[in-house]
Structure formats: C-alpha cells, structure tokens
Amino acid sequence: MNSARTTDRRVFLQSATGMLTGLVAAGSPLALFAPSRAWALDLTTLTSPEGATVLAAARTIAPHDKLEDAAYALVVHSIDASVAKDEGLRRQYQEGLARLGANFASASEPARVEALKAVEPSAFFQALRTNTLQVLYATPMAYAYFGYEGEAFSKGGYLFRGFNDLRWLPDVPQADSGPVLGSA
Amino acid sequence: MMRIDSNDDGAVVIIGSGAGGGTLAHELTRRGIKVVLLEAGQRQSLASFSQVPGEAFGQLTWLDPRTQSGTWGVAKDFPGLPVWTCKTVGGTTVHWTAATPRIRPWEIRARTLYGPVAGTSLIDWPVSYEELKSYYQLAERRLGVTRRNGNPGMPASNNFKVMYAAAKKVGYKRVHTNHMAINTRPRDGRGLCIQQGFCVQGCKTGAKWSTLYTEIPRAEATGNLDLRIQCMATRIEHGADGRVSAVVYRDSKGAEQRQKARIVCVAGNSIETARLLLLSESARFPQGLANSAGQVGRNYCHHISGFVWGTFEQPVKFWRGAVLAGIVEDETVNEPKRGFVGGYHLELISLDLPTLPLVGLPYGWGRDFAAIMEDYRNMAGMFICGEDLGRADNRITLDPTIKDAYGSPVAHVHVDEHDNDKALRKHAQDQAAKMYESIGAKRVIRSLTPPATHNMCTARMSANPRDGVTNAWGQTHDINNLFVSDGSAFSSPGSANPTLTIVALALRQGEYISRQMAAKNI
C-alpha cells in the first residue's frame, strides 16, 4: 500500500496542472484541523484559474462568510479528482467553467450569482451544486463550524452528554416520555 | 453452517432478510422447517457499521439503478433514487428509525370508510383488526416496543422538548416519545439506547431491533437455516403443474445457481418483490407470476412524507438522541371535513449535517440556503407520515431499456399524486408550521418529499382475487406455494410506519405456512 501511495504521489506531482494556496486565519477553530496555517492544493486536471473559479463558485453556492477557504478548497480537490477519472465530466466542467468567464473569481458576489443563475439549468451547474454540498458539509471543518458533533458511539453517545440539556422550554412529564436511566 | 443441497426440494426458500423475510425465517426454522434465505447484500455487524454518514449510506443502501416518472416531487428531485431501501443482511431493519405505531382499526377498512374515491383503487384488508391485534401484541413483545408491555418510554430529547411544547401550545393531546423498537433498558441480550442519534447508519449498540442481530442469528442457532449472502434472485421457476419449484439466483461471484424449493416466499421490499414476480414470466404465465389479475406492481403506496424544520433563537442540537422518538397522534383520524380522507402522524426527526442539505432541504443555493444551514444548531424537525391512496396506475413495471448487471430490466416506479395526497400534505405542513410558530420559531421550512422509505401494497392481499395478488395470509391467489412476505402484501398503507405490521404479518404467516406444510396442503 505504501509504495503504491508513493508512486501515486510522484505521478500526481509530475502531472500537476495547477495549484491553489491560502492561509488559515490566526485563531480560527480550523487551525485545529490543519498542520500549518498555510495550505496548498495541487491540481491534477483543472488549471489554477479553473480551480479558483470552482472555489469562488462553491463560496457562492454555499456562502458561509466565516468558513475558511481551506474548507471550500476541499470541494475543488474533490472535483479535480473526479474530472481526472472521467473524460465526459472533465469536458462538462471545463466548458461550464469557461461559460462563467475568466473574471468570475474576482467578481462581486451579485455578479457571481448572476453568472451562476445563467447556467443554472445546465448539467454542469447541477453537478457543481451537488458536489459542493456533498463535500463541504462532510468536512471536519464544517462539523466544527456548524457545531455538529458527528460520531458519538466512541464517546458513549449523548445519554450523559446532553441529549436532553435544552433548558429554554419546560421539561416533558414522565407520563409522556420516560426515565433517563431506563429503570422502570 | 448448515448447507441445504441445491436439489433438495423440501426446503422453503425466502428471498430477502429484512423485517418480513428475516422474521419469517426465524418462525419457520424454530418450528423445524429447513429454510434457504437468499440475501442480495453483504453481512455487516455492530463493529463494521460506519459512522460517517456518506460511507454508511454506501455500505447499506440498495444502489442498483431504478428509473421513475410521474407527478410526485421525488421524480424531479431524486431522479435516480425513487426509494431509499437497503441491500444488506437485515434489509431495511438495519437503517430504520424503529418507530412502531400500529395501523388503526379504521385504516384497514379504507374502502368501506372512505367510500369510492374517484381515481383510487381502495380495498379493505381481508383480515379483521381483532386478529391483527393479537399478532401486533406478539410482535411488540418480540421487538421490545416502548410504552407497551411495561417497557419504559424513551426519555425526552432536546428535539422532542420542542415538539412537545409546540404540540401542547396548539392544543394537541396525544403527544409522547413514540412507540419504538429500541431498548430503554437492557433486554433480550441487548443493551439500552445511549442516544447517539446514529439510528440510520446502523445502531452500534444494537439497542435498536434489527433482524441482523436478533431473528437471523436465532434462526441460524436452530441448525435449520442456510443463509446465502450476496445472492441475488433473478427468477422464480415453476413446474408443469404450475406450482413454483426453484429459485434462480446469482451468487457472490456472479455465477448462476438454482435452488429447488417446496415453497417460495418473496420479501424483497415492495419494489424488488414486484420486479421479481414480473421478471419470472413464462409461457404459462406471460404476465409474470401471480399476475393473472394484472395486479402485480400496481397500487404502489409510499406514504405522504416530508420534513418540516423550525429554527429558533436558542440551541436545540437535534442531532443528539434517538432520531424518531416523538409523535403527535391527534391527526391520525379520518375527518373528511379537513379536506381529505385518511390521517397522518407527525413524528420527530433530525438529520446529520452532511445529509440535511442533500435530502432534507428544498432545492436551493446562495444566501437564503446558507442562512438555513447557519441555524443548524438551532433547528428542530418533524416528519410527516400520512396515508396515500392506492391508484392502479401508481405502479412498478420493468424498465423497457435499462438493465442491471445481470441483464435483467430494472424497476420503474411511477407515481402520480392524487388531490387527496396533496391536501393531506398541505394540512400536515400547515399544522407543523403552526406548532413551531406558536412557540416562537424564527423560521419554518417546509421541505420536499424525500425518496420513499415506506414501500407498500405492490402485491396486496385481497378478498377477491381480481383486486390483488394474495389471500389474507400472503399466499398468492394463483399459486399456492408462492407467498409474499413483506410490505408488498398490505392491502392499504394506513399511516403507521410499516415495519411493526410487516413483522406481525410475518409471525402470522409463519404459523400458517407451518400448519399448511404439516397438513400436506403445500
């Protein structure tokens, strides 16, 4: 496995077609998930401008102002990997991204929204939207940002960790619910 | 493991290991009857369940292609995924949320009570409620259903506190933490629920009942079960006498196999059950097996379902806790003055972060969509589960062009919504919105209809053989050693989550088949 991965990495670097870079803001909770503040993403199929366009489009589709570019870069990474494996998808993305225009990534948000609305019925946009949602909200960075706690089995679930800690509404009578410890 | 010879024509072959097939396998094997259980999927375990939502979906879901059409929203919103069912040992009892209300006595008399509703194919169940009730009681003991037989109710989660306060505010009376097939105390060799909120990904404590770790291992322990995993039935064969004689299937290597059978029971969940009967056409049965009345695949029901979300000023953290542990029963009545016949439940629900935007929210993107997601912490949720009315042309057919890996036509699902369906959904959405608004919701989101998880009625029981596929025991009208053993056999869907009723019918069918075998009637 290790040697295969090394080979993949070498092929990957040799064939890099572009790169995206960024910086995680100091003090960001995302710093917990990144080995260093600086991040870089090699692209194997998309060019740097195409990668920047995808990143800006993902930010326009799911605009969370305080969520770092590093999270959106994972969408770019996933799409880059998908188009590398599928010729038809690659063409669909390249043509679609070209329709958004060379200045898309630097345009204002209202201008980006208009550009995306213009291509909304296309298979390209539908794939872009679905891929963005699929990848973005499944990242550890999104979990942290939205406060979602994910897998709970290894921590003993929430039985003693707040499944019923809401205090801004009255408690439910026992007759309509049940005891917390499960004893009758 | 016990192995039954492929030429042994004395065994019962059951296709599918979920609520119906898995339970029936246990019922027959514990009575000394030899059973071959064919399951298309792999066998997972508490240890192997993934807790990464996207991975778990891939691990458990039936992902073979299906096509669809019709006016229901699912055709447009989820074109490749009309239904969300499982392909794994235990079937949908692995991903179900374990809500176990009963069908109401009046719901099994839909045709009599609702009258002749234009554009529907309603029939009454050919079973009395008194008889069904005794099997509900057996099923509830087997599954350890909460708030029955002295089993404590589920404790109230954050999400339920919101539902409860809202329901009481609008005057609802019958509101509680639902009847659930989830242990609230250790019982039956399994632990209690630790409120993980990962019911759909496979319950890693086993507190939630599933045939995977209850009925199936018990059936294996009798020494009478031959469970064959990754074995996909492709055709049921019959002999010169017109009775079924063997099941043809592809094994885990894709090789074709043939198992002889004394009796065949089909429990592939409504879509695949209908598809397999249709695929098994022959010179003698050119329309498929058990289809002389042309009813196989028709009258498909899926429940009127959908999410309603409320966002609040303060946190809810609705992902913590058993997903469906809450219910409002006040609207589970037939009151045509509401503008529709039949009733509905409002049930508690939450979705994990990755799944919510893909399945749980209306189509959208941009600032408004993101604003909803920003409130994920402060969101509460309800799921509508209402009765849809059977229609002859809402049906499963064989797709004319798309084929699966073995060259068999895939299932095509067609659903046109009836005006009654639309009126019921609107009423339920409005009531749910009124509930959340009554306690100060910032915003209420009426969401789309997700892929159907409750699939029913495609091989329904009928008193008159012209109206359905099977008699009151799930035995097909046309062929006395061919049975339907899942939700396909429901005569109408009612508004209850279907699993408890599937189990009750399987317990009853197990008794019937063993009696008929002993009497040498089949």
Side-chain angles (χ1 to χ4, degrees):
Chain A
M1 283 310 284
N2 276 341
S3 65
R5 205 177 298 148
T6 311
T7 310
D8 281 347
R9 175 75 185 162
R10 192 160 57 236
V11 171
F12 182 73
L13 286 177
Q14 279 166 358
S15 62
T17 53
M19 179 180 274
L20 285 182
T21 59
L23 211 56
V24 175
S28 160
L30 304 186
L32 290 172
F33 301 98
S36 71
R37 281 186 57 209
W39 57 266
L41 173 67
D42 291 318
L43 300 171
T44 64
T45 306
L46 298 176
T47 63
S48 298
E50 285 171 338
T53 300
V54 172
L55 192 142
R59 263 214 175 280
T60 316
I61 287 167
H64 299 291
D65 293 340
K66 292 176 187 158
L67 183 57
E68 305 271 354
D69 273 347
Y72 293 92
L74 292 176
V75 176
V76 184
H77 175 64
S78 166
I79 290 173
D80 184 56
S82 304
V83 298
K85 286 181 291 199
D86 184 333
E87 176 72 22
L89 194 64
R90 183 178 65 75
R91 235 177 297 117
Q92 187 184 80
Y93 264 99
Q94 287 174 336
E95 287 166 16
L97 293 170
R99 281 183 65 191
L100 293 179
N103 299 321
F104 180 86
S106 56
S108 68
E109 182 171 340
R112 280 183 277 131
V113 168
E114 282 313 305
L116 288 174
K117 276 189 180 158
V119 298
E120 189 170 2
S122 67
F124 154 70
F125 178 81
Q126 293 305 319
L128 176 63
R129 174 183 171 273
T130 302
N131 287 348
T132 299
L133 303 186
Q134 272 173 342
V135 176
L136 186 69
Y137 296 106
T139 61
M141 286 176 271
Y143 278 28
Y145 179 85
F146 293 98
Y148 177 58
E149 298 159 294
E151 178 276 327
F153 176 69
S154 66
K155 304 176 195 99
Y158 296 106
L159 184 58
F160 302 113
R161 294 192 315 121
F163 85 102
N164 60 352
D165 65 359
L166 186 153
R167 291 287 170 266
W168 53 273
L169 287 169
D171 275 337
V172 176
Q174 282 290 303
D176 292 327
S177 57
V180 168
L181 287 175
S183 53
Chain B
M1 188 200 287
M2 208 272 287
R3 180 78 193 176
I4 292 171
D5 189 88
S6 61
N7 284 313
D8 183 343
D9 58 5
V12 175
V13 177
I14 301 175
I15 299 160
S17 64
T23 302
L24 181 63
H26 183 199
E27 290 309 286
L28 296 180
T29 55
R30 75 185 181 86
R31 292 182 169 92
I33 296 166
K34 300 234 180 296
V35 170
V36 175
L37 180 55
L38 299 177
E39 168 53 54
Q42 301 191 34
R43 189 171 193 161
Q44 303 298 339
S45 66
L46 303 190
S48 71
F49 290 147
S50 169
Q51 302 290 277
V52 177
E55 271 179 28
F57 180 83
Q59 188 178 49
L60 304 176
T61 304
W62 187 290
L63 292 170
D64 294 14
R66 283 161 176 158
T67 58
Q68 60 164 324
S69 57
T71 62
W72 71 331
V74 180
K76 178 172 65 71
D77 298 324
F78 301 96
L81 196 73
V83 305
W84 182 3
T85 58
C86 287
K87 188 179 193 175
T88 190
V89 175
T92 55
T93 68
V94 178
H95 86 162
W96 75 315
T97 44
T100 46
R102 295 179 185 176
I103 285 188
R104 309 277 164 170
W106 52 270
E107 286 177 321
I108 66 169
R109 295 168 49 243
R111 174 63 182 78
T112 300
L113 194 62
Y114 306 164
V117 182
T120 71
S121 55
L122 297 176
I123 57 170
D124 290 348
W125 288 49
V127 187
S128 75
Y129 191 78
E130 277 312 301
E131 186 176 356
L132 202 53
K133 187 176 165 187
S134 60
Y135 291 93
Y136 271 138
Q137 288 166 344
L138 281 176
E140 285 160 351
R141 287 205 171 78
R142 181 71 63 93
L143 272 54
V145 170
T146 61
R147 305 176 68 81
R148 305 272 194 206
N149 304 306
N151 292 317
M154 299 290 288
S157 66
N158 291 340
N159 199 15
F160 183 69
K161 288 182 189 181
V162 180
M163 175 188 240
Y164 191 82
K168 291 291 168 173
K169 193 82 170 186
V170 302
Y172 283 144
K173 305 274 190 283
R174 291 149 63 199
V175 190
H176 56 81
T177 51
N178 214 342
H179 295 291
M180 304 288 287
I182 294 182
N183 283 354
T184 44
R185 55 186 174 188
R187 72 166 272 295
D188 200 30
R190 294 177 287 119
L192 59 77
C193 174
I194 59 171
Q195 305 287 344
Q196 300 173 71
F198 275 67
C199 304
V200 174
Q201 290 79 11
C203 175
K204 282 183 93 69
T205 67
K208 178 185 85 175
W209 178 86
S210 168
T211 57
L212 172 63
Y213 39 77
T214 59
E215 310 309 310
I216 290 168
R218 282 174 185 155
E220 287 176 312
T222 65
N224 294 319
L225 182 71
D226 181 350
L227 169 64
R228 301 182 193 166
I229 63 170
Q230 292 181 272
C231 288
M232 170 82 186
T234 55
R235 180 178 183 78
I236 301 166
E237 294 184 334
H238 62 82
D241 59 358
R243 302 173 78 244
V244 295
S245 56
V247 177
V248 179
Y249 65 93
R250 297 295 186 116
D251 67 17
S252 60
K253 296 183 182 71
E256 189 165 282
Q257 306 288 349
R258 176 178 283 95
Q259 174 63 50
K260 288 192 176 171
R262 177 171 170 185
I263 293 171
V264 175
C265 302
V266 191
N269 203 318
S270 287
I271 311 301
E272 293 303 317
T273 290
R275 176 181 174 227
L276 182 60
L277 294 174
L278 295 172
L279 284 174
S280 303
E281 45 76 33
S282 66
R284 178 160 181 169
F285 301 115
Q287 299 187 85
L289 295 183
N291 200 20
S292 65
Q295 291 286 328
V296 169
R298 291 191 185 271
N299 317 303
Y300 168 62
C301 288
H302 51 87
H303 280 155
I304 299 309
S305 69
F307 307 103
V308 178
W309 311 108
T311 62
F312 293 86
E313 296 292 346
Q314 299 187 68
V316 179
K317 302 185 180 180
F318 72 165
W319 60 84
R320 296 178 175 181
V323 173
L324 240 74
I327 193 164
V328 177
E329 297 180 331
D330 296 66
E331 300 287 358
T332 317
V333 289
N334 181 47
E335 273 181 17
K337 65 173 195 263
R338 290 178 300 183
F340 55 90
V341 297
Y344 62 86
H345 295 96
L346 293 172
E347 295 181 305
L348 198 69
I349 201 153
S350 60
L351 285 176
D352 56 81
L353 180 69
T355 304
L356 177 68
L358 297 172
V359 178
L361 294 180
Y363 170 87
W365 57 277
R367 286 283 158 189
D368 189 56
F369 161 79
I372 298 171
M373 291 302 297
E374 290 275 336
D375 268 331
Y376 185 70
R377 274 182 202 82
N378 300 0
M379 189 176 281
M382 277 186 269
F383 185 71
I384 298 161
C385 187
E387 177 164 10
D388 55 327
L389 303 184
R391 316 188 75 182
D393 290 334
N394 285 354
R395 62 189 291 207
I396 312 308
T397 52
L398 300 177
D399 191 283
T401 51
I402 313 288
K403 295 191 164 47
D404 71 6
Y406 302 132
S408 305
V410 304
H412 180 86
V413 181
H414 179 86
V415 177
D416 287 325
E417 284 201 334
H418 194 276
D419 285 344
N420 196 80
D421 300 342
K422 294 177 195 162
L424 182 148
R425 176 185 296 110
K426 179 166 189 316
H427 191 272
Q429 287 178 331
D430 289 350
Q431 289 304 112
K434 198 165 110 188
M435 282 171 62
Y436 282 146
E437 280 158 3
S438 78
I439 56 164
K442 284 195 325 195
R443 179 171 180 178
V444 172
I445 301 115
R446 293 164 168 81
S447 193
L448 39 69
T449 299
T453 51
H454 302 170
N455 300 287
M456 298 161 288
C457 306
T458 58
R460 66 186 185 180
M461 298 185 284
S462 63
N464 186 330
R466 282 197 315 262
D467 297 333
V469 177
T470 82
N471 66 16
W473 288 273
Q475 183 177 29
T476 63
H477 291 301
D478 292 353
I479 303 174
N480 80 343
N481 67 338
L482 175 63
F483 287 78
V484 173
S485 312
D486 60 13
S488 314
F490 290 14
S491 305
S492 69
S495 60
N497 309 59
T499 298
L500 181 75
T501 307
I502 294 173
V503 172
L505 291 177
L507 295 173
R508 180 166 166 273
Q509 189 181 65
E511 273 182 22
Y512 177 80
I513 290 176
S514 59
R515 273 202 316 268
Q516 294 292 312
M517 289 176 79
K520 307 239 184 297
N521 290 333
I522 43 177

